[in-house]
Amino acid sequence: MTDASETPRGLDLLRDPIRNKGTAFTSEERSSLGLRGLLPPRVLSQELQVQRVVENLRRQQSDLERYVYLQALHDRNERLFYKVVIDQVEEVMPLIYTPTVGKACQEFGHIFQRPRGMFISIEDQGRIDEILACWPHDDVRVIVVTDGERILGLGDLGADGMGIPIGKLSLYTACAGIHPDKCLPITLDVGTDNMELLADPLYIGLPMRRVRGERYDAFIDEFVGAVTTRFPRTVLQFEDFGNANAFRLLEKYRNRVCTFNDDIQGTASVALAGLLSAMPLTGRPFTEGRWLFLGAGEAGIGIGRLIVAALMAEGIAEAEAKKRCWYFDSKGLITSERTDISEHKRTFAHEHRPITDFVDAVHSLEPTGILGASGVYGSFTRSIVEAISEIQERPIVFSLSNPTSRSECTARQAYEWSGGRAIFASGSPFGPVELDERTLVPGQGNNTYIFPGLGMGLIVSEASRVVDEMFLVAARTLAAQVSQRDLDVGRVYPPLSKIRSVSEEIAVEVAEVAYKMGLARRDRPQDLRAAVKDEHFSPEY
Ligand code: NAI
């Protein structure tokens, strides 16, 4: 990557992804920038370049090949890449993000072509600041960092998990318009416990078992200190850490630096938005809902915590609010008698007889909705969906696990097994389902609706902290973007094609919270929306 102060010419310019326009360089530019003869003579518009990219994209034989093709474009011509992502968001997002990014991470060492972002390994301990100094951009405003221990629902992929920070940051730019130079994907390589990767000669990370305990904590501490010193205005997003570390690190740093954990907090916000949109379809207010989760990890517990915050904001006492959320993990219903549960689960351990069968739990608790965040494909079986459909006229069924290969049930299954009555949303996209002469359109309950707008709001206000109120307001703002037309076809989220305007609304509201709560580090602009628009990166040449 080239520093903004340099102005490359000739071949160097064509190899600079930020400035390259390829065949769209005008005749004048070709003369003045030393490009004459280095490009075929015909000058193409960016629209025609997009057309060519889309044509080539569709010609690829598999989604993984489409991912590789798009990454190569990203490396060649960044503005064209973003133009394609923005113009064709519904087609391209599943290729650069879930589900394809999951496959890409599983194959990362094998499809690797060019590095992107930064890799900081445990061997760099003691000199992380020196390493960060190698990054060519000074004004980094969003960092997505992973240690690769829990990549989507696919488990430990070590340094091969780098596809996730890269994909997420592409969405910060595509969905909220954050300038790519301000985005930095980072993988912290502390080893992997994935034996297949350790045996794979093409694995890109350190071929060693995961470092844990004090050395790990000291490494993360050094990293957080170094990164927030070098880039003091950055938002630090923790992504796809294993849950034993994710909850701990969030508690440790949330009151010290501008940080959040997307799996815990971003997921919570998007899921809450879906529930807020879905409740009117059930004919009951949100305050009357009762939720049964399959999976009590980062996503599940995060959602429960935010539901509690939302209920408390409606005047419901904390203890009562907590009783609205019930959890079922790999060992059964989480009850107060259980001694095998971690601290984050204990908050939601209620008095109940032990239950080890989810259908039994549905019958006993009569939830308004079931929310899957287990990472276990097919775990919402026909009998589970039928059980909740007997109890509820419009059962809410959210299969939030990613990628598609981990989804608790498919859209078609939820609709068919509920006789077309389920209000369904999923973490990875499913297409429309034809059932009994109706077309049902599932919404994508994915945190991509939240984090880009949230990030932009934090940037514009230069917020010092990320607080729960921001996730609450983001959820409400997202829910308010759902139209009657969306609800009529069963979609509890706006279509992805609206993601840029959705992100803008969220950015404005999040910045508003930062100002109201005294967390902003920048004078309030007269017009917050204009300030958000001013930050926008345009992919046009
Ligand atoms: P995690 O590892 O923290 O938690 C997984 C939970 O599932 C644990 O409580 C575990 O006990 C439980 N579980 C595992 N097998 C089970 C079984 N057979 N029956 C019942 N429970 C079982 O993982 P995390 O972060 O909560 O993620 C879970 C899933 O949610 C992943 O697939 C992830 O991709 C997805 N997710 C979706 C997001 C979205 O935007 N839709 C965002 C974040 C995560």
Side-chain angles (χ1 to χ4, degrees):
M1 229 168 266
T2 319
D3 187 85
S5 58
E6 292 168 33
T7 44
R9 294 169 50 81
L11 265 188
D12 286 345
L13 177 57
L14 295 180
R15 287 181 183 148
D16 176 347
I18 293 169
R19 293 188 183 80
N20 185 20
K21 302 186 199 176
T23 50
F25 277 113
T26 62
S27 179
E28 297 72 36
E29 285 169 332
R30 292 173 186 214
S31 295
S32 64
L33 296 167
L35 294 169
R36 219 155 261 297
L38 298 179
L39 288 163
R42 185 161 189 182
V43 176
L44 292 194
S45 65
Q46 197 183 30
E47 283 60 41
L48 278 172
Q49 289 183 307
V50 169
Q51 190 182 316
R52 180 160 58 201
V53 169
V54 172
E55 218 179 279
N56 276 306
L57 192 62
R58 292 183 184 155
R59 215 198 304 269
Q60 307 297 315
Q61 299 296 309
S62 69
D63 284 347
L64 188 62
E65 284 172 23
R66 292 183 186 99
Y67 175 91
V68 172
Y69 175 77
L70 285 166
Q71 289 314 315
L73 174 65
H74 198 179
D75 290 340
R76 256 191 339 266
N77 182 338
E78 198 143 25
R79 283 177 290 179
L80 184 56
F81 168 79
Y82 282 113
K83 181 83 178 131
V84 171
V85 179
I86 292 166
D87 287 1
Q88 311 287 330
V89 70
E90 304 206 22
E91 180 174 349
V92 173
M93 195 180 294
L95 300 173
I96 59 169
Y97 188 51
T98 184
T100 311
V101 71
K103 183 80 186 141
C105 288
Q106 288 175 310
E107 304 277 338
F108 210 74
H110 294 258
I111 60 171
F112 183 85
Q113 294 188 352
R114 247 181 101 155
R116 176 170 285 280
M118 298 201 84
F119 295 86
I120 301 174
S121 87
I122 191 87
E123 292 181 351
D124 301 319
Q125 200 159 14
R127 51 187 171 122
I128 296 182
D129 180 55
E130 215 178 290
I131 289 176
L132 291 172
C134 297
W135 188 247
H137 305 288
D138 292 334
D139 191 24
V140 171
R141 305 298 295 274
V142 193
I143 290 170
V144 177
V145 63
T146 189
D147 73 355
E149 189 171 7
R150 197 241 64 201
I151 293 299
L152 303 172
L154 303 170
D156 184 351
L157 297 184
D160 282 359
M162 183 54 146
I164 296 294
I166 291 172
K168 291 252 163 177
L169 284 165
S170 299
L171 298 184
Y172 269 102
T173 301
C175 304
I178 297 172
H179 198 290
D181 283 2
K182 295 185 174 174
C183 299
L184 171 54
I186 299 184
T187 280
L188 298 177
D189 185 356
V190 294
T192 178
D193 289 342
N194 182 325
M195 292 306 159
E196 272 176 45
L197 290 180
L198 289 176
D200 180 350
L202 290 181
Y203 171 57
I204 63 168
L206 292 176
M208 57 180 246
R209 299 293 296 263
R210 250 174 210 282
V211 169
R212 300 186 187 276
E214 276 176 31
R215 186 163 172 222
Y216 175 89
D217 284 0
F219 177 62
I220 300 287
D221 220 36
E222 183 190 342
F223 167 72
V224 173
V227 91
T228 51
T229 305
R230 180 158 292 274
F231 306 118
R233 298 196 295 171
T234 195
V235 180
L236 181 59
Q237 172 178 332
F238 281 81
E239 186 70 42
D240 287 3
F241 281 66
N243 75 32
N245 290 323
F247 285 105
R248 258 177 355 100
L249 297 177
L250 178 62
E251 289 320 310
K252 184 166 177 186
Y253 296 111
R254 67 186 302 174
N255 295 319
R256 292 196 210 166
V257 295
C258 182
T259 190
F260 70 101
N261 180 299
D262 194 40
D263 305 299
I264 300 174
Q265 297 167 289
T267 314
S269 192
V270 79
L272 175 62
L275 298 179
L276 291 172
S277 309
M279 276 313 274
L281 296 174
T282 69
R284 277 182 297 165
F286 172 71
T287 45
E288 285 181 16
R290 188 206 305 251
W291 312 106
L292 175 58
F293 293 81
L294 185 72
E298 295 166 57
I301 297 290
I303 299 168
R305 286 178 180 177
L306 200 64
I307 289 177
V308 169
L311 289 173
M312 288 171 67
E314 298 286 331
I316 295 179
E318 185 175 358
E320 174 57 26
K322 284 180 179 164
K323 283 196 197 139
R324 303 296 177 81
C325 299
W326 290 78
Y327 287 84
F328 195 101
D329 67 8
S330 51
K331 304 209 177 73
L333 190 67
I334 295 189
T335 60
S336 31
E337 277 178 11
R338 274 184 50 183
T339 51
D340 58 348
I341 50 179
S342 55
E343 212 34 55
H344 58 266
K345 296 183 184 179
R346 180 131 322 268
T347 322
F348 293 102
H350 310 305
E351 302 262 319
H352 201 283
R353 69 181 163 83
I355 295 188
T356 50
D357 173 23
F358 198 76
V359 176
D360 190 3
V362 170
H363 283 303
S364 175
L365 296 166
E366 302 196 342
T368 316
I370 49 175
L371 290 91
S374 61
V376 181
Y377 183 75
S379 47
F380 283 167
T381 57
R382 181 180 197 121
S383 42
I384 289 173
V385 176
E386 283 177 351
I388 189 165
S389 305
E390 274 167 31
I391 297 162
Q392 303 293 350
E393 182 52 34
R394 297 296 313 270
I396 294 174
V397 178
F398 283 5
S399 293
L400 296 170
S401 291
N402 292 323
T404 319
S405 63
R406 296 292 190 269
S407 191
E408 283 77 11
C409 69
T410 66
R412 174 166 291 283
Q413 289 170 336
Y415 292 137
E416 280 185 0
W417 295 339
S418 65
R421 289 182 287 126
I423 304 167
F424 178 81
S426 55
S428 296
F430 284 105
V433 174
E434 304 288 335
L435 191 76
D436 303 334
E437 291 170 22
R438 279 194 305 157
T439 304
L440 298 162
V441 185
Q444 192 182 349
N446 194 287
N447 42 24
T448 189
Y449 277 111
I450 301 292
F451 64 78
L454 173 86
M456 182 59 113
L458 297 169
I459 288 179
V460 162
S461 58
E462 289 185 24
S464 57
R465 302 284 179 274
V466 190
V467 292
D468 286 346
E469 284 78 356
M470 292 170 177
F471 294 99
L472 262 186
V473 89
R476 291 191 189 118
T477 308
L478 175 56
Q481 301 293 310
V482 181
S483 67
Q484 191 54 48
R485 269 180 70 192
D486 294 327
L487 294 176
D488 289 346
V489 291
R491 183 167 53 205
V492 293
Y493 294 98
L496 268 183
S497 55
K498 284 171 93 184
I499 194 137
R500 289 192 43 107
S501 59
V502 167
S503 300
E504 183 179 310
E505 293 303 321
I506 291 176
V508 171
E509 295 303 328
V510 165
E512 192 70 64
V513 172
Y515 283 103
K516 274 197 193 130
M517 296 186 66
L519 298 169
R521 287 178 289 180
R522 175 183 177 193
D523 287 346
R524 190 191 164 96
Q526 260 191 337
D527 181 345
L528 266 184
R529 188 175 300 275
V532 167
K533 285 187 192 294
D534 275 358
E535 276 287 335
H536 260 197
F537 161 77
S538 165
E540 262 109 55
Y541 297 140

